[in-house]
Amino acid sequence: MLQDIATIESKYKLFIGKTAASKSVWALKSKNGWANSHSNDSEDVDVIPFWSDRAYAKACARDDWKGYLPVEIPLAEFLESWCIEMADNEVLAGINWDTNMFGKESTALDLAVDVLEQLNAINSAISFKNYSSINEFITEISESLD
C-alpha cells in the first residue's frame, strides 16, 4: 500500500510540474461530454480526470471511455474556469489516472493552489481573465479555503 501512495504522489507531482511547464492540461471528451467517474472513496462524489500529457489521456480512452478523444485545455482556463466551477459543484479532480483508474483525487482548489505555486516557483508568466497575478489568485483561493 505504501508503494501505491508513493506512486500516486509521484504522478501528482509530475502533473503539477508538467502542466506548469507546458501551460496545458488534458482531458477526455466525446460527443456526449467530458469523461468523468465516481470517487474511489464514495459513489456520491464525482471526479473529472485530467492528465499532464496527451499520451496519458489517450491511454485511458478505453472501456467506458472508448470513443473519447484527448482534448487540450489551456492552463489559465483550467485554473480559472474548471477548478473554480468544480469546487463550486464539489467535484474532485482525478490526477494522471492510469488505465485502471488508479490515481490521486484532489479537491479542485487544492490542485489549483499547487499548480499556481509551481508557476511561481518557476517564474512562469501566465495571463488570467479575472486575476491580475498568480499571487492574487492564490490569495483569493486561500481565503475561500479558510
Side-chain angles (χ1 to χ4, degrees):
M1 184 67 179
L2 213 49
Q3 183 181 359
D4 293 344
I5 293 169
T7 299
I8 289 171
E9 284 305 316
S10 171
K11 289 177 5 180
Y12 182 78
K13 288 178 179 159
L14 175 75
F15 178 91
I16 299 301
K18 284 188 109 176
T19 57
S22 69
K23 292 196 175 88
S24 66
V25 173
W26 291 86
L28 290 173
K29 188 176 184 183
S30 76
K31 62 180 185 236
N32 298 322
W34 297 96
N36 61 77
S37 185
H38 297 290
S39 170
N40 289 318
D41 297 328
S42 171
E43 287 284 317
D44 297 331
V45 178
D46 290 326
V47 180
I48 300 175
F50 299 98
W51 293 270
S52 57
D53 63 50
R54 185 180 189 283
Y56 292 154
K58 186 176 181 185
C60 293
R62 50 182 240 163
D63 300 327
D64 288 348
W65 296 335
K66 189 174 182 172
Y68 283 70
L69 296 173
V71 175
E72 186 175 20
I73 303 167
L75 188 57
E77 177 187 332
F78 174 74
L79 293 168
E80 280 191 289
S81 299
W82 286 79
C83 287
I84 300 301
E85 189 173 322
M86 287 170 59
D88 289 346
N89 293 318
E90 299 180 4
V91 174
L92 297 177
I95 305 304
N96 273 353
W97 281 4
D98 63 20
T99 56
N100 297 314
M101 307 301 186
F102 184 70
K104 183 169 179 119
E105 295 175 6
S106 174
T107 68
L109 294 183
D110 286 339
L111 174 61
V113 168
D114 288 345
V115 172
L116 290 163
E117 287 176 345
Q118 179 64 21
L119 287 167
N120 258 347
I122 63 173
N123 282 333
S124 183
I126 189 167
S127 297
F128 300 108
K129 290 180 182 174
N130 301 314
Y131 304 95
S132 61
S133 69
I134 292 171
N135 287 330
E136 179 189 344
F137 199 172
I138 292 172
T139 299
E140 186 162 313
I141 290 173
S142 298
E143 288 171 357
S144 71
L145 290 173
D146 292 340

